[in-house]
Amino acid sequence: MTDTLFTNVRVLDGTGTNPYTGSVLVQGNRIRQVGRSTAPISPSGATVIDGAGATLMPGMCEAHTHFSWNDAASLAGIQAMPLEEHVLWCAKVAKRYLEAGFTSCVGAACAKPRLDVVIRNAINAGQIPGPRYLAASQEITVLGALGDETLPHLPFPEFSFGVNINGPEEMRKAVRMFLKYGVDSVKLNLSGDNFTPQSPAETTWMADDEVAAAMREVKIRGKRGIAHARSSESVKQALRHGIDLIYHASFVDNEALDMLEAAKDRIFVAPGIAILYALLNESEAFGVTRDMAIELGYQIEWDAALESLSKMHKRGIRVLPGGDYGFAFTPHCQNARDLEFFVKYLGFTPMEAIRSTTLYGGQIMMRAHELGVVKEGFLADLMLVDGDPLANLAILRDPKRILAVMKDGVFAKAPAIASQRAWGRAA
Ligand SMILES: [Zn+2]
């Protein structure tokens, strides 16, 4: 491992502080020194990367990741991929996320029982490149709800997308199975989803005794419960049972907002609004016309989600980007588009949007003390960006503008050698 000194960079440190010109020295896997331009750092043997004014910022965090979503347009299409191909797919996608600047990803469910765990372990062992990763379970659901893809003529649950449970005993068994496999998070589908018309978004399916049985096991092992919760009732159910990572939260009444605010120091919301947008506006080529999306309830949900999430942001509840990329209509590695949506639709400033994927990213990864900020002593997860993301967030999803990505002190995407002296800056 060689040390690296970034000079002449615009440091956007991830905390919300205004950027400044400076230098950053990485020794081993840590940021050793952060200097303003007035006090240059001595390279002392480090490889010097002259950023020529490019932005150096923390690597981004994707808070709602599904490596195993395989660009299909349906849950059944994802599930149809045979296991062996699916493992290879996930490995390839993990590498792509890292190179796109996502140095941390929070797994939000996988399509087969051990996909996430195996990929996380392979990344950690250095077998394959990939982000820091928190591995999730499959979606645990109840018969007839989101994730139950069992066809009527097939036995269950082997052929389902999620694991179908009935009652606390079956829940306990499913959760213990995933904990045995070594997941970091157990995913519960509390609400329905407009994607599955038999169980729409505003319906709430899981029984309290089932959620309680799951969370008892999760807490005993010191793991995290995470929830698919689009309905207001499901958001409240998640909060009542100690789930601290809520996906979607499209519909929230005042009581749910108050409960979220009261728990804001432990709660994260990762809505994944890109898929709502895409289904309404960009999915005709994949067989979903705007009229069909409206008929499925997506206009109502889009309107509700913008209102709910804007209110959460105003109340200081941490809303993080990412979510449900990996469908045909939401391709992998465009995830940073959420930052633009946060500004355009949820009332974030560009700086707040960046902070949601950097500072909050370190927090949701449960490593707030060492991840998500360009700061001395912190882990060297960094990206070098051609241009100013605060002026144009779209450059964060343009591979040509991501000049370099470093994870744990090592380049995952190395700066081009020829360009090390002076980056050609596009406008
Ligand atoms: Zn999801």
Side-chain angles (χ1 to χ4, degrees):
M1 188 182 280
T2 55
D3 300 339
T4 305
L5 174 64
F6 296 93
T7 61
N8 195 17
V9 287
R10 228 170 130 262
V11 179
L12 179 56
D13 71 6
T15 62
T17 305
N18 281 329
Y20 55 87
T21 299
S23 308
V24 173
L25 176 64
V26 173
Q27 281 182 336
N29 69 338
R30 301 261 167 193
I31 297 165
R32 270 309 149 217
Q33 210 178 335
V34 180
R36 306 266 171 169
S37 55
T38 47
I41 298 170
S42 148
S44 57
T47 302
V48 179
I49 308 289
D50 182 346
T55 300
L56 187 72
M57 58 178 277
M60 297 183 287
C61 175
E62 217 289 354
H64 178 166
T65 313
H66 301 293
F67 288 154
S68 56
W69 283 199
N70 62 2
D71 294 348
S74 67
L75 301 183
I78 294 170
Q79 192 59 17
M81 185 176 255
L83 175 61
E84 295 82 354
E85 281 83 350
H86 224 150
V87 177
L88 293 172
W89 168 270
C90 292
K92 189 178 77 176
V93 170
K95 178 172 186 277
R96 286 177 53 205
Y97 270 73
L98 180 58
E99 290 172 354
F102 291 96
T103 50
S104 291
C105 290
V106 180
C110 52
K112 297 188 173 71
R114 295 178 61 246
L115 278 178
D116 257 21
V117 165
V118 165
I119 292 298
R120 179 203 61 198
N121 292 351
I123 293 170
N124 289 349
Q127 282 179 291
I128 59 169
R132 297 178 196 278
Y133 193 58
L134 296 180
S137 67
Q138 276 175 286
E139 299 184 353
I140 301 179
T141 191
V142 301
L143 286 183
L146 170 71
D148 175 8
E149 290 292 309
T150 316
L151 297 173
H153 65 286
L154 291 175
F156 72 95
E158 288 83 355
F159 297 93
S160 183
F161 179 80
V163 171
N164 307 323
I165 63 101
N166 256 322
E169 273 314 310
E170 288 185 12
M171 174 65 90
R172 213 183 321 272
K173 185 175 178 187
V175 171
R176 284 176 175 166
M177 176 184 80
F178 285 117
L179 292 167
K180 172 181 164 180
Y181 292 158
V183 298
D184 299 297
S185 319
V186 171
K187 172 78 175 285
L188 306 180
N189 285 359
L190 304 183
S191 81
D193 194 296
N194 291 330
F195 208 52
T196 48
Q198 82 281 4
S199 57
E202 287 186 78
T203 56
T204 306
W205 286 70
M206 210 165 265
D208 269 329
D209 59 354
E210 292 167 335
V211 183
M215 288 309 294
R216 180 183 177 275
E217 301 304 318
V218 166
K219 295 288 179 192
I220 286 172
R221 323 286 175 98
K223 302 298 180 186
R224 177 189 258 171
I226 60 180
H228 170 95
R230 292 191 184 272
S231 68
S232 191
E233 182 47 40
S234 65
V235 170
K236 293 182 230 179
Q237 187 179 43
L239 288 161
R240 281 200 309 274
H241 288 280
I243 289 169
D244 57 14
L245 174 43
I246 297 179
Y247 291 127
H248 310 302
S250 302
F251 299 90
V252 289
D253 59 19
N254 281 333
E255 187 188 13
L257 277 171
D258 289 343
M259 288 172 72
L260 283 163
E261 188 175 355
K264 70 180 181 185
D265 292 338
R266 72 170 176 91
I267 282 288
F268 299 93
V269 175
I273 54 173
I275 194 165
L276 306 179
Y277 182 88
L279 285 167
L280 279 167
N281 301 299
E282 300 174 341
S283 300
E284 207 155 333
F286 311 105
V288 184
T289 64
R290 185 174 176 82
D291 285 348
M292 286 164 71
I294 291 170
E295 177 66 25
L296 285 165
Y298 279 107
Q299 186 68 52
I300 291 169
E301 182 169 8
W302 172 256
D303 294 341
L306 298 197
E307 189 184 337
S308 301
L309 296 161
S310 300
K311 285 179 178 169
M312 285 179 220
H313 176 55
K314 270 206 195 90
R315 288 183 181 224
I317 295 151
R318 291 170 292 188
V319 177
L320 278 75
D324 288 335
Y325 287 86
F327 286 107
F329 17 80
T330 48
H332 281 300
C333 298
Q334 284 295 299
N335 313 48
R337 192 184 190 192
D338 278 31
L339 301 178
E340 297 156 61
F341 285 158
F342 280 16
V343 171
K344 196 164 176 194
Y345 299 114
L346 304 185
F348 281 58
T349 65
M351 187 68 97
E352 287 171 339
I354 300 260
R355 188 183 61 181
S356 71
T357 196
T358 53
L359 180 74
Y360 293 174
Q363 296 170 357
I364 200 171
M365 291 295 290
M366 299 185 277
R367 303 177 83 160
H369 60 292
E370 60 177 358
L371 198 60
V373 179
V374 181
K375 187 177 173 184
E376 286 168 13
F378 272 48
L379 289 164
D381 285 14
L382 300 164
M383 59 194 284
L384 190 63
V385 183
D386 178 18
D388 179 6
L390 292 169
N392 180 10
L393 286 164
I395 63 178
L396 294 176
R397 58 187 174 102
D398 179 354
K400 293 189 294 296
R401 307 295 287 270
I402 309 294
L403 302 173
V405 179
M406 174 179 271
K407 178 194 150 200
D408 215 32
V410 177
F411 281 114
K413 177 176 184 176
I417 299 295
S419 307
Q420 278 191 15
R421 282 170 201 211
W423 295 103
R425 287 191 68 197

